[in-house]
Amino acid sequence: MITYFRPMCAAGWPGQAGVMITIEHLTKRYGAQVAVSDVSFACQPGTVTGFLGPNGAGKSTTMRALVGLASPTSGTATFDGKHYRELPNAGRQVGVLLDAGAQHAGRTGRETLTLAAMVLGVGHQRVDEVLGLVGLAGRPAGKRLGNYSLGMRQRLGLATALLGDPQVLVLDEPANGLDPEGIFWMRGLLRGFADRGGTVLLSSHLLHEVEAVADQLVVIAGGRIAAQGSKSELLAGTGGTLVRGPDRALLAKALDAAGISVSSGPDDALVADADALAVGQAVAAAGVVLTELRAAGGAGLEDLFRSLTGSSHQVQEVQA
Amino acid sequence: MSTATLDAGRAPTGTAPTAPSLLRLVRVELRKSYDTRAGRWLLIVIGLAVLAVVAISLFVEDAPKRFTDHFGITQLPISILLPVLGILLVTSEWSQRTAMTTFTLVPRRSRVLVAKVLAATVLAVLGVAVAALASVLATVLTPVFSDAERDWDITAALVGQVLVVQVVSVLAGVAFGMLLLSSPLAIVLYFVLPTVFTILVSLISALDWVRDWLDLSTTSMPLFEDGVDAQGWLQFGTSVGLWVALPMLLGWVRIQRSEIA
């Protein structure tokens, strides 16, 4: 198994006055069971960090420890050096959405936000603002949450997280239950938030959900960090060129003759360890027919995710 | 209001916000007690029960009809039902899983718990006030429905004692809720445990001292009448220790330590 471990620079970016999340050697045990083991990573202001891993890998435990809902067995999780519990009015600095289902079914969307707004000390006007922002203004705001779809609950959860106008967003599986249009909308929202200097940590068990918006990726599997780094760094590590042709054996032979090593790609394709030009030249020289030639790119990241998280049952979900 | 711009709040600002005051947290907890259908109905039922009790004592001929009598009898539905509101104030955070949001917004959990205790106290005082209002109504109507005269006499001591008992019973509900963190479990045990305890210690004569010092329903009885002596207060105090302070302490520690998921 390939493991990429690239600890990120711990210093804040010069000239940027955002809040940095730092998780250092975080370990959480439940009796003999280790949920999270020695997890360290940092999220910089102005970036979106995708926290990836299969269900049960330790994402939620890490995030709960980050916002003080769980006490770590050892290690620390801080915002600009401060524990979440030390923040004077936590919701004004860190917007949190850990579980969209964790809301009172008997309250309306507006009432749920009003309660949070009272704690945060923001006005009713702000409630209307975020309702509009997440697309729940008007009639949906007056409906009881028992009648909300999961997608609507996610939007309300995002509204709660944004209510205090925070500098940091911590979101656990925020895309769950959102339709493709909703996921696209959320990406834009998070991108804009980060571009204005905000810090975003969002988790997902689906690579495609975070791939498009994340700058940094942290992959966790079995409670341990399996890989982390910028998206391009991780991609570079698994590059290669995907080639497909009617005769797979012939194709492999042609590439082998040109000194290009190959491995099995998805389905009947091959992944060659060279750029597209070199592959194309080698194949043309051998006179072999090609039906597909492209950078293994996205699929490479997906393979990486799959291999790092190392569970075959994830494959279908990843491709869904 | 419906124009959904992609403005995720203004650009994040660096202002240092202050912590929510305890007063604000108490107001939030009070609002939580009536902003759901369950909570609102419970309040309505308590109100209706008080009115029903007033009606009964008005129309039943041999029921005593002084203001102090009305005031005493209207405490009954409140002392039975208001603790349920106290229980739900705590347990609904777990049964509805709102604890996650609550403790994320206020990570210092003891502040939330203090706010809940204070909110429950306010509810108890409001309950006694409602009983007093209903008693005023009953006393005004007394000459209309019976031969009795209006008798407004009541001692400040009695009002004070009744307030103490009602606050204690609502806080007992809060304590049971904090200890058990489950609405059905806390409600059932809140009613069953003290009753079984009362029956046991009343049946077995060797346990008389337990009844006199630790059975809350026995020790709170004298507080509904004038003239509680020092020993009466002491006996009330020890039983409050067993049924309110102890479960609240254990529950407090449990909530402080537990993982919210």
Side-chain angles (χ1 to χ4, degrees), chain B residues 134-259:
Chain B
S135 308
V136 167
L137 182 73
T139 313
V140 168
L141 294 177
T142 291
V144 181
F145 294 105
S146 71
D147 306 331
E149 293 291 305
R150 290 180 185 130
D151 180 344
W152 295 100
D153 271 358
I154 193 161
T155 65
L158 181 66
V159 175
Q161 289 168 21
V162 164
L163 269 173
V164 168
V165 176
Q166 296 294 28
V167 168
V168 160
S169 56
V170 174
L171 290 186
V174 171
F176 269 67
M178 281 166 62
L179 183 63
L180 300 165
L181 302 183
S182 147
S183 306
L185 197 62
I187 291 172
V188 169
L189 287 187
Y190 174 81
F191 287 111
V192 170
L193 266 189
T195 310
V196 170
F197 189 81
T198 305
I199 293 171
L200 270 183
V201 297
S202 306
L203 284 180
I204 305 166
S205 54
L207 293 179
D208 273 358
W209 67 273
V210 178
R211 182 195 61 203
D212 293 343
W213 290 89
L214 294 175
D215 182 39
L216 192 55
S217 54
T218 305
T219 61
S220 61
M221 210 56 90
L223 272 76
F224 285 103
E225 274 157 46
D226 268 316
V228 180
D229 56 7
Q231 184 179 329
W233 281 112
L234 205 59
Q235 289 172 326
F236 179 69
T238 50
S239 43
V240 166
L242 177 65
W243 294 100
V244 183
L246 184 65
M248 190 177 283
L249 182 74
L250 294 176
W252 203 291
V253 172
R254 180 181 179 186
I255 292 173
Q256 285 280 10
R257 291 192 178 172
S258 68
E259 175 164 345

Side-chain angles (χ1 to χ4, degrees), chain A residues 262-279:
Chain A
V262 294
S263 56
S264 299
D267 303 323
D268 60 341
L270 293 170
V271 176
D273 188 18
D275 60 20
L277 178 65
V279 172

Side-chain angles (χ1 to χ4, degrees), chain A residues 92-105:
Chain A
R92 295 289 286 272
Q93 283 149 299
V94 183
V96 181
L97 167 58
L98 292 191
D99 189 340
Q103 285 300 348
H104 201 298

